[in-house]
Amino acid sequence: MDARRGSRVVKPKVRQVGFFTLDAPNPPGRSLSGPVGFGSSQQSLSPPTDPLSPVMIPPPRHLSDNFASRSTILPVPTPANWRNSGDQIHVGSYNPSQTLLATSPSSRIWDDELEMSEDSSTSVPYRRSGSGKIASSLPGLGVHMAAKSSENSQAVPLRTLGPNKPSGVAENNGGVPTEVQNQPPPSSSKSLKAKTTKAERRALQEAQRAAKVSAKGETNKSGTAPGKTVKQPSAMKDSTAAPSVASTDKRGGDRTLDKERKKDAPHPRMQFDDKNRVEKAKKRAVFNQTEARNRVELFRHLPQYEQGTQLPDLVSKFFQLDTIHPAIYKVGLQYMAGDICGGNARCIAMLHAFQQAIKDYSTPPQKSLGRDLTAKIGGYVSFFNECRPLSVSMGNSIRFLKNRIAKLPVNLLESEVKATLCSDIDRFINEKIIIADEVIVRHAATKIRDGDVLLTYGSSCAVEMLLLYAHELGKEFRVVVVDSRPKLEGQALLRRLIASGLKCTYTHINAISYVMHEVTRVFLGAAAVLSNGTVYSRVGTAGVAMVANAFHVPVLICCEAYKFHERVQLDSICFNELGDPDAISKVPGRKDVNYLDNLTAKEQLQCLNLMYDATPSDYVSMIVTDYGMIPPTSVPVIVREYRREHLWI
Amino acid sequence: MWWRSASFILDKQQTEGVSKPPETLSISPPVDESSMADTFQNPNPKISAYYQSRASHTAVVTSDWLAQAQAAVGFPTDEQLLSEADVKDSESGKPFSVIDEFNNWRKQPDLAEAVAAIRSLAAVIRSSQATTMMELEIELKKASDSLKSWDTTSISLTAGCDLFMRYVTRTSALEYEDFKSAKSRLIERAEKFGEISCKARRIIAMLSQDFIFDGCTILVHGFSRVVMEVLRLAAQNKKLFRVFCTEGRPDRTGLRLSNELAKLDVPVKLLIDSAVAYTMDEVDMVLVGADGVVESGGIINMMGTYQIALVAHSMNKPMYVAAESYKFARLYPLDQKDMAPALRPIDFGVPIPSKVEVEKSARDYTPPQYLTLLFTDLGVLSPSVVSDELIQLYL
């Protein structure tokens, strides 16, 4: 009991060691690595609470801003993987980024950067303007050599890096005062030098590996590269397995840690006006986000961060985020930058990232795969949540995945488990999203007659597929695409529709009441459908539905059943997402519209850029799902009848 | 008025037990050899077959209808039926045809089309020569398809066939090793289903009794056998109520209803169809039947129901629908024109110039928000429950 209590007291410190390297630069913290860690590992050889995946190299924990100050920038590891998984994401038209990138102003910077990163594996994938760290390419051959030699000679200390963290716990536990938490972040310090080199070596190794992988991908130079990449994980596995012998006694403490971590995990719908909770969440957050100061009173319970403050911080921390798999990290960044948006695209990207992470996962010794993997995925989920609040579709698929993990038969081998989970994820994507969309499209197409004028708002992939399908069927109809600032997603949709030869009208939401006269059907997408029939969708949808209702035009919602949620929501205030307020105060490409340029910081002006709104079920005539066409009053039936099936498939 | 709530009625029904009115329905098809000619094809494609049969036995009371009804009441006994079936099987140089069977059943004025379909499908199972379950299922499927395609405009026929297929074939009985026992189980199920469908009307009549209170005025539209049953039972229960009948142009089915009600000594007043709004303030409730109940919970019924519903809604009068559950169809019309139109000839009494177009649609769609409650054999339902039931039936 004593040990447990002790570890509980020290808990915040552990967190800091794990996540907040910037804030823990003091000598006790430093003593974790190298020989000290090795020595102390006698008493605390237990595996870390968040075990490293075999591919990930345990990163150094103290050196974050060393990278910054030295202006050595390292490419994100495994760019080849990156590209592969990127390809995986493009399923059908779910990822609108291919075409959206060029059109949406917010993602333009990212577009460039992404292109850069794809041009050559050695360039810097995430470079933020103004950081002044425009870095050289990969370190030269000499460094390579050094890294290589280090790999051999330094094998022992490297191995201890894995279990280092718990050893740090033990140290802290042993009586290091709590001042650790409140230390101001240091500038680059000379005293860190010894470890710096090691960190550097580590980083270089990463880079080297990345280079190798990319070289393999691009030039097909040799068959040795894959062998290498295969070998390394196994080596790491060995290294993680090594300390297992002496680790049994610490398990109890670990479990409590796990438990606390779980307990402490911020609720996905945390109320951000609750100061205590926000503080707590911040402590365990993966990266610092500056909260926007000037927020609308009614929406203070929603998270809003200064745009642009998150990325540099996150990028600089890449090597400290030892618990985050690169695939997860990448997808998280893409969420944050807005490169992946739309419920289906986000969900598919997330699931593919999970797949990647599961493939690279190995159960740490003395742990049960089910629990450990669930905890790990929980960590990934909270990372995603920090990047951008989770969508209902993501929430439901996470629930599915966790349920699958929990229901795994005990007697399976690890490799079998991983294969099952991956195929389960594939099946989920296939059955619940792709085939579901096909069914929806087929159902909804029966409601399109010749001579119809269809109206759609924003860009929904299901509606897009429907329009294209109906066009293929040879139905004669016209489409009105209604759009709104700031995202202007409709333009991307319009482009694709016109490319397929549909007759289109494009208008802004301001003209909706004018254009509604001629419309015979309104087709809308949805981010979620709640059990009272409320449709939760892109902001502006409710307005469109209301106008359509006033004109007695039927409103059809195309939504896959996996986006149904048993929650009830009456307004769009309780649960919503705040976008970048600058996006509405500035008009891109218009220099003359600058009335708000200096006003955004003022107290009196509060910009509200809501992302979603709730359409009451009265305005909805029909919801088209994979289970057929149902009235909005029947959503709870679907939720009730198919909840089990959703979890099982 | 809590005692008028649906749940109360259901509770009462359970506690009191069901008092059964006398059996009036005949069980066998009246055999009418002369009608065999028009069985294979709808003789007049201009007119929806559904309305042909309706016209044949729900039109204004005529002497020949009465004669037919008499014939139907004097129904043949079971042995007779069996022997007939045997004869049919043995003499079959001509193969068994569902549609013949269906048409035979359909002749019976009191028998709903869906029930006729259900019975003829049951007959398909009985007379099937199939030796495997799969074969039988395919045969059944073919029969139901041919029934459905015989009259695509009849919603209850389609829905009845679908429901039958669901109810009968979706059973663990099909996993019996022995084909014979499986088949007999199927027949059992089919007969049970037919029986349930037959009793539906009486169940509805009993469920709806508590909605009819003394001194109320009920507006009815067209002639619906369920509504007739409800009102008849109310009259038998010595309720004091008055009925307003619309004329029900063009086939004037309202006239027939008023005749029937007059026989029961129920005070009746006839209105022309356009006088609905004029009389609505005197009316306490509207009671209509339905051709079909669609997935949204709305109903498809005889032309004019929608406007009555609109008037009733705007005057805050309850609108009740009496419909058997075999009329629940997996349809989802979004608006009036979103259905296959059922056409019906309209006699204006004077010749219409060829340039003048005539709207011949026989029915309209009433959206669920204008309906108060549905009286069905599954219970008294609010419109949104229809979809729940359908989802549970079909998915």
Side-chain angles (χ1 to χ4, degrees), chain B residues 267-335:
Chain B
V268 190
K269 192 193 237 178
L270 260 179
L271 319 168
I272 52 171
D273 291 332
S274 36
V276 168
Y278 173 79
T279 49
M280 191 54 89
D281 57 343
E282 291 177 64
V283 169
D284 288 310
M285 69 180 77
V286 180
L287 181 60
V288 292
D291 284 1
V293 181
V294 296
E295 190 146 11
S296 62
I299 56 164
I300 294 172
N301 195 26
M302 181 187 162
M303 188 65 91
T305 310
Y306 181 38
Q307 63 197 25
I308 290 176
L310 283 174
V311 172
H313 184 76
S314 70
M315 296 199 183
N316 282 330
K317 307 287 182 188
M319 170 105 179
Y320 299 130
V321 177
E324 301 92 328
S325 63
Y326 55 72
K327 286 179 177 165
F328 287 14
R330 287 217 88 188
L331 290 173
Y332 202 135
L334 285 167
D335 48 36

XYZ file of all heavy atoms in Angstrom, chain B residues 267-335:
521
model
N -77.202 7.607 -36.237
C -77.523 8.837 -36.971
C -76.407 9.209 -37.948
O -75.245 9.314 -37.546
C -77.679 9.897 -35.882
C -77.240 9.279 -34.621
C -77.170 7.808 -34.797
N -76.738 9.392 -39.194
C -75.737 9.665 -40.222
C -76.124 10.921 -40.969
O -77.309 11.184 -41.196
C -75.670 8.518 -41.249
C -74.481 8.708 -42.158
C -75.601 7.182 -40.567
N -75.132 11.663 -41.344
C -75.371 12.804 -42.212
C -74.411 12.695 -43.378
O -73.231 12.409 -43.181
C -75.097 14.091 -41.432
C -75.587 15.349 -42.120
C -74.997 16.561 -41.424
C -76.083 17.507 -40.937
N -75.496 18.654 -40.226
N -74.916 12.902 -44.559
C -74.055 12.838 -45.739
C -73.585 14.241 -46.098
O -74.364 15.187 -46.070
C -74.838 12.253 -46.911
C -74.630 10.784 -47.235
C -75.503 10.402 -48.400
C -73.177 10.512 -47.583
N -72.320 14.326 -46.444
C -71.768 15.607 -46.874
C -71.190 15.422 -48.268
O -70.744 14.332 -48.610
C -70.611 16.059 -45.972
C -70.717 15.876 -44.475
C -69.353 16.126 -43.873
C -71.737 16.842 -43.919
N -71.193 16.481 -49.031
C -70.380 16.395 -50.236
C -68.934 16.612 -49.808
O -68.649 17.176 -48.737
C -70.801 17.431 -51.299
C -70.856 18.820 -50.689
C -72.122 17.056 -51.925
C -71.053 19.899 -51.697
N -68.006 16.142 -50.638
C -66.597 16.147 -50.240
C -66.078 17.545 -49.926
O -65.159 17.714 -49.130
C -65.750 15.533 -51.356
C -66.005 14.048 -51.486
O -66.373 13.431 -50.463
O -65.873 13.508 -52.592
N -66.664 18.522 -50.551
C -66.141 19.871 -50.356
C -66.720 20.535 -49.116
O -66.375 21.675 -48.825
C -66.424 20.710 -51.602
O -67.668 20.359 -52.153
N -67.559 19.835 -48.370
C -68.152 20.457 -47.186
C -67.412 20.099 -45.910
O -67.912 20.345 -44.814
C -69.614 20.043 -47.073
N -66.233 19.533 -46.074
C -65.519 19.067 -44.891
C -65.166 20.212 -43.963
O -65.447 20.179 -42.762
C -64.256 18.291 -45.314
C -63.360 18.052 -44.129
C -64.643 16.978 -45.945
N -64.581 21.254 -44.514
C -64.164 22.373 -43.672
C -65.385 23.039 -43.046
O -65.338 23.495 -41.900
C -63.370 23.369 -44.499
N -66.480 23.078 -43.796
C -67.705 23.718 -43.317
C -68.226 23.044 -42.058
O -68.676 23.689 -41.133
C -68.739 23.650 -44.444
C -70.117 24.113 -44.060
C -70.413 25.483 -43.992
C -71.117 23.198 -43.775
C -71.678 25.903 -43.646
C -72.380 23.613 -43.430
C -72.660 24.962 -43.365
O -73.908 25.380 -43.018
N -68.108 21.714 -42.017
C -68.671 20.987 -40.875
C -67.648 20.659 -39.807
O -68.016 20.094 -38.780
C -69.278 19.656 -41.351
O -68.326 18.997 -42.166
C -70.553 19.874 -42.122
N -66.417 20.981 -40.052
C -65.366 20.491 -39.146
C -65.545 20.981 -37.707
O -65.145 20.289 -36.766
C -63.994 20.891 -39.690
C -62.816 20.239 -39.002
S -62.883 18.445 -38.953
C -62.071 17.992 -40.463
N -66.133 22.126 -37.515
C -66.244 22.607 -36.127
C -67.205 21.764 -35.296
O -67.116 21.738 -34.087
C -66.625 24.087 -36.103
C -67.926 24.344 -36.853
O -68.323 23.456 -37.632
O -68.539 25.410 -36.663
N -68.110 21.055 -35.952
C -69.019 20.182 -35.205
C -68.381 18.832 -34.901
O -68.897 18.074 -34.085
C -70.284 19.911 -36.034
C -71.197 21.087 -36.222
C -72.362 20.686 -37.108
O -73.137 19.806 -36.686
O -72.465 21.217 -38.224
N -67.324 18.536 -35.606
C -66.760 17.186 -35.556
C -65.850 17.037 -34.352
O -65.113 17.958 -34.001
C -65.997 16.904 -36.868
C -65.182 15.643 -36.764
C -66.964 16.828 -38.018
N -65.900 15.900 -33.686
C -65.003 15.638 -32.568
C -63.770 14.854 -32.985
O -62.720 14.984 -32.370
C -65.734 14.844 -31.487
C -66.744 15.703 -30.772
O -66.364 16.805 -30.343
O -67.912 15.288 -30.682
N -63.921 14.028 -33.974
C -62.745 13.289 -34.432
C -62.955 12.848 -35.874
O -64.095 12.732 -36.336
C -62.499 12.059 -33.559
C -63.540 10.980 -33.730
S -63.236 9.561 -32.707
C -63.768 10.133 -31.128
N -61.852 12.631 -36.529
C -61.903 12.109 -37.889
C -61.409 10.674 -37.827
O -60.411 10.388 -37.156
C -61.009 12.935 -38.833
C -61.084 12.384 -40.235
C -61.417 14.392 -38.811
N -62.107 9.786 -38.484
C -61.677 8.383 -38.495
C -61.645 7.916 -39.941
O -62.670 7.973 -40.633
C -62.674 7.550 -37.675
C -62.384 6.061 -37.548
C -61.049 5.832 -36.886
C -63.478 5.379 -36.737
N -60.489 7.494 -40.385
C -60.375 7.020 -41.760
C -59.665 5.675 -41.776
O -58.998 5.295 -40.808
C -59.573 8.010 -42.643
C -60.326 9.293 -42.831
C -58.204 8.260 -42.070
N -59.816 4.983 -42.844
C -59.049 3.762 -43.056
C -57.781 4.108 -43.803
O -57.395 5.271 -43.891
N -57.124 3.096 -44.340
C -55.911 3.366 -45.098
C -55.704 2.273 -46.130
O -55.981 1.107 -45.867
C -54.707 3.442 -44.176
N -55.246 2.663 -47.298
C -54.814 1.677 -48.289
C -53.476 1.094 -47.882
O -53.203 -0.077 -48.086
C -54.662 2.340 -49.658
C -56.002 2.597 -50.292
O -57.007 2.283 -49.654
O -56.030 3.123 -51.411
N -52.669 1.980 -47.356
C -51.347 1.529 -46.933
C -50.803 2.481 -45.890
O -51.115 3.673 -45.899
N -50.027 1.937 -44.980
C -49.345 2.760 -44.000
C -47.870 2.715 -44.367
O -47.305 1.632 -44.497
C -49.558 2.228 -42.576
C -48.867 3.109 -41.570
C -51.035 2.141 -42.268
N -47.268 3.863 -44.564
C -45.895 3.872 -45.057
C -44.913 4.082 -43.921
O -45.303 4.347 -42.781
C -45.701 4.948 -46.148
C -46.544 4.622 -47.341
C -45.981 6.311 -45.617
N -43.668 3.969 -44.267
C -42.625 3.894 -43.256
C -42.526 5.144 -42.392
O -42.168 5.082 -41.229
C -41.284 3.629 -43.940
C -40.205 3.304 -42.969
C -39.225 2.310 -43.516
O -39.275 2.049 -44.710
O -38.418 1.824 -42.728
N -42.846 6.284 -42.944
C -42.754 7.505 -42.147
C -43.855 7.556 -41.106
O -43.812 8.382 -40.208
C -42.861 8.709 -43.064
O -44.108 8.700 -43.714
N -44.853 6.681 -41.220
C -45.995 6.724 -40.326
C -47.180 7.422 -40.959
O -48.257 7.476 -40.371
N -46.981 7.962 -42.146
C -48.088 8.552 -42.876
C -48.931 7.472 -43.524
O -48.585 6.296 -43.484
N -50.042 7.869 -44.106
C -50.891 6.874 -44.748
C -51.153 7.252 -46.196
O -51.119 8.422 -46.576
C -52.248 6.706 -44.028
C -52.968 8.051 -43.930
C -52.053 6.104 -42.663
C -54.432 7.907 -43.596
N -51.399 6.231 -46.978
C -51.877 6.430 -48.334
C -53.324 5.985 -48.335
O -53.631 4.866 -47.909
C -51.040 5.609 -49.319
C -49.617 6.165 -49.346
C -51.643 5.665 -50.706
C -48.673 5.323 -50.136
N -54.196 6.848 -48.737
C -55.615 6.517 -48.663
C -56.340 7.195 -49.807
O -55.757 7.948 -50.593
C -56.172 6.947 -47.314
C -57.516 6.315 -47.019
O -57.819 5.239 -47.536
N -58.320 6.980 -46.224
N -57.622 6.953 -49.827
C -58.457 7.490 -50.878
C -58.295 9.008 -50.996
O -58.113 9.711 -50.007
C -59.911 7.166 -50.518
C -60.888 7.635 -51.515
S -62.500 7.352 -50.813
C -63.466 8.421 -51.833
N -58.352 9.447 -52.226
C -58.202 10.863 -52.500
C -59.122 11.699 -51.607
O -60.299 11.388 -51.448
C -58.562 11.096 -53.973
C -58.272 12.491 -54.458
S -56.541 12.841 -54.443
C -56.058 12.359 -56.078
N -58.556 12.719 -51.015
C -59.360 13.580 -50.153
C -59.009 13.441 -48.684
O -59.332 14.304 -47.878
N -58.287 12.368 -48.365
C -57.908 12.185 -46.966
C -56.941 13.274 -46.510
O -57.048 13.789 -45.399
C -57.254 10.806 -46.784
O -58.081 9.825 -47.372
C -57.049 10.495 -45.328
N -56.035 13.618 -47.409
C -55.018 14.612 -47.052
C -55.674 15.939 -46.716
O -55.348 16.570 -45.708
C -54.038 14.747 -48.210
C -52.904 15.713 -47.996
C -52.281 15.833 -46.755
C -52.443 16.500 -49.042
C -51.235 16.717 -46.577
C -51.395 17.375 -48.869
C -50.791 17.491 -47.629
O -49.756 18.358 -47.462
N -56.640 16.329 -47.520
C -57.204 17.647 -47.228
C -58.059 17.613 -45.969
O -58.085 18.579 -45.210
C -57.966 18.214 -48.428
C -59.167 17.433 -48.864
C -59.574 17.836 -50.273
O -58.747 18.308 -51.047
N -60.827 17.666 -50.615
N -58.683 16.493 -45.714
C -59.426 16.381 -44.451
C -58.448 16.468 -43.276
O -58.705 17.137 -42.285
C -60.208 15.055 -44.411
C -61.352 15.113 -45.423
C -60.754 14.795 -43.021
C -62.131 13.836 -45.530
N -57.304 15.800 -43.433
C -56.304 15.831 -42.366
C -55.804 17.249 -42.136
O -55.616 17.675 -40.991
C -55.134 14.922 -42.731
N -55.609 17.983 -43.223
C -55.140 19.361 -43.081
C -56.172 20.199 -42.334
O -55.823 20.969 -41.438
C -54.878 19.964 -44.466
C -53.588 19.540 -45.153
C -53.538 20.099 -46.561
C -52.400 20.042 -44.366
N -57.429 20.043 -42.717
C -58.481 20.825 -42.070
C -58.572 20.443 -40.594
O -58.633 21.301 -39.710
C -59.824 20.590 -42.790
C -60.950 21.241 -42.013
C -59.777 21.134 -44.196
N -58.538 19.138 -40.332
C -58.638 18.670 -38.950
C -57.466 19.183 -38.132
O -57.623 19.607 -36.988
C -58.674 17.150 -38.924
N -56.290 19.158 -38.744
C -55.103 19.613 -38.026
C -55.209 21.086 -37.686
O -54.894 21.510 -36.585
C -53.879 19.348 -38.892
C -52.590 19.678 -38.234
N -52.022 18.879 -37.259
C -51.735 20.721 -38.394
C -50.893 19.420 -36.855
N -50.698 20.536 -37.523
N -55.682 21.849 -38.659
C -55.732 23.291 -38.412
C -56.827 23.619 -37.411
O -56.806 24.674 -36.791
C -55.952 24.042 -39.718
O -57.259 23.803 -40.163
N -57.789 22.743 -37.227
C -58.832 22.997 -36.228
C -58.610 22.167 -34.971
O -59.518 22.041 -34.143
C -60.201 22.680 -36.823
C -60.560 23.596 -37.979
S -62.306 23.575 -38.272
C -62.415 24.624 -39.707
N -57.444 21.569 -34.858
C -57.070 20.803 -33.658
C -58.030 19.668 -33.355
O -58.371 19.429 -32.201
C -56.962 21.721 -32.441
C -55.678 22.488 -32.456
O -54.683 22.011 -32.982
N -55.691 23.685 -31.910
N -58.516 19.004 -34.372
C -59.345 17.833 -34.158
C -58.460 16.594 -34.316
O -57.596 16.569 -35.206
C -60.464 17.759 -35.192
C -61.292 19.008 -35.289
C -62.196 19.172 -34.095
C -63.049 20.424 -34.283
N -63.817 20.767 -33.083
N -58.671 15.592 -33.487
C -57.842 14.389 -33.640
C -58.181 13.635 -34.922
O -59.337 13.570 -35.324
C -58.195 13.550 -32.408
C -59.513 14.045 -31.969
C -59.589 15.491 -32.354
N -57.141 13.101 -35.532
C -57.312 12.345 -36.771
C -56.841 10.921 -36.497
O -55.663 10.685 -36.232
C -56.455 12.992 -37.858
C -56.347 12.201 -39.131
S -57.361 12.933 -40.390
C -57.048 11.844 -41.759
N -57.771 9.998 -36.508
C -57.419 8.608 -36.228
C -57.462 7.787 -37.508
O -58.291 8.024 -38.384
C -58.391 8.001 -35.213
C -58.408 8.700 -33.883
C -59.605 9.109 -33.292
C -57.225 8.971 -33.210
C -59.619 9.759 -32.067
C -57.234 9.627 -31.987
C -58.430 10.013 -31.427
O -58.441 10.652 -30.221
N -56.580 6.837 -37.573
C -56.520 5.954 -38.732
C -56.684 4.526 -38.246
O -56.008 4.117 -37.303
C -55.171 6.091 -39.468
C -55.107 5.125 -40.623
C -54.974 7.502 -39.934
N -57.591 3.797 -38.856
C -57.729 2.378 -38.536
C -57.112 1.593 -39.681
O -57.527 1.746 -40.829
C -59.197 2.004 -38.357
N -56.091 0.792 -39.368
C -55.423 0.046 -40.433
C -54.832 -1.231 -39.868
O -54.259 -1.228 -38.778
C -54.318 0.887 -41.060
N -54.984 -2.310 -40.586
C -54.421 -3.574 -40.148
C -52.918 -3.564 -40.391
O -52.421 -2.853 -41.262
C -55.044 -4.739 -40.935
C -56.553 -4.841 -40.803
C -57.287 -4.075 -41.891
O -56.764 -3.044 -42.348
O -58.377 -4.507 -42.292
N -52.200 -4.364 -39.645
C -50.738 -4.278 -39.733
C -50.221 -4.841 -41.050
O -49.089 -4.567 -41.424
C -50.091 -5.015 -38.566
O -50.411 -6.374 -38.631
N -51.050 -5.632 -41.765
C -50.533 -6.100 -43.058
C -50.565 -5.005 -44.113
O -50.174 -5.239 -45.250
C -51.286 -7.349 -43.538
C -52.786 -7.236 -43.626
C -53.371 -6.483 -44.629
C -53.608 -7.889 -42.712
C -54.747 -6.379 -44.703
C -54.979 -7.787 -42.780
C -55.549 -7.030 -43.786
O -56.901 -6.916 -43.866
N -51.011 -3.848 -43.719
C -50.938 -2.728 -44.661
C -49.673 -1.908 -44.484
O -49.468 -0.930 -45.203
C -52.156 -1.826 -44.479
C -53.419 -2.449 -45.041
C -54.599 -1.558 -44.816
C -55.846 -2.156 -45.446
N -57.053 -1.484 -44.945
N -48.860 -2.284 -43.523
C -47.611 -1.554 -43.323
C -46.672 -1.880 -44.482
O -46.321 -3.035 -44.697
C -46.934 -1.973 -42.021
C -47.618 -1.465 -40.787
C -48.898 -0.939 -40.851
C -46.970 -1.487 -39.573
C -49.524 -0.476 -39.717
C -47.600 -1.025 -38.429
C -48.872 -0.526 -38.501
N -46.289 -0.872 -45.203
C -45.480 -1.109 -46.399
C -44.149 -0.395 -46.283
O -44.053 0.658 -45.666
C -46.222 -0.610 -47.630
N -43.164 -1.007 -46.893
C -41.850 -0.341 -46.912
C -41.806 0.650 -48.050
O -41.086 0.472 -49.032
C -40.732 -1.365 -47.061
C -40.493 -2.154 -45.821
C -39.034 -2.428 -45.644
N -38.387 -1.351 -44.929
C -37.078 -1.282 -44.771
N -36.300 -2.155 -45.289
N -36.557 -0.280 -44.095
N -42.570 1.680 -47.907
C -42.566 2.757 -48.888
C -42.248 4.027 -48.128
O -42.497 4.114 -46.933
C -43.944 2.912 -49.525
C -44.424 1.832 -50.471
C -45.860 2.104 -50.843
C -43.559 1.846 -51.706
N -41.707 4.980 -48.830
C -41.441 6.234 -48.136
C -41.674 7.379 -49.111
O -40.716 7.929 -49.639
C -40.010 6.258 -47.594
C -39.796 7.228 -46.461
C -39.091 6.866 -45.337
C -40.292 8.522 -46.513
C -38.887 7.731 -44.295
C -40.102 9.395 -45.475
C -39.395 9.002 -44.364
O -39.196 9.872 -43.337
N -42.932 7.715 -49.373
C -43.150 8.847 -50.274
C -42.746 10.159 -49.590
O -42.996 10.345 -48.408
C -44.654 8.810 -50.545
C -45.235 8.019 -49.450
C -44.171 7.149 -48.879
N -42.088 10.996 -50.346
C -41.696 12.289 -49.792
C -42.796 13.318 -50.000
O -42.934 14.250 -49.237
C -40.412 12.766 -50.462
C -39.150 12.051 -50.018
C -38.014 12.370 -50.953
C -38.793 12.440 -48.608
N -43.523 13.161 -51.065
C -44.617 14.082 -51.305
C -45.692 13.359 -52.126
O -45.583 12.161 -52.378
C -44.129 15.351 -52.015
C -43.252 15.026 -53.202
O -43.538 14.024 -53.873
O -42.289 15.764 -53.461
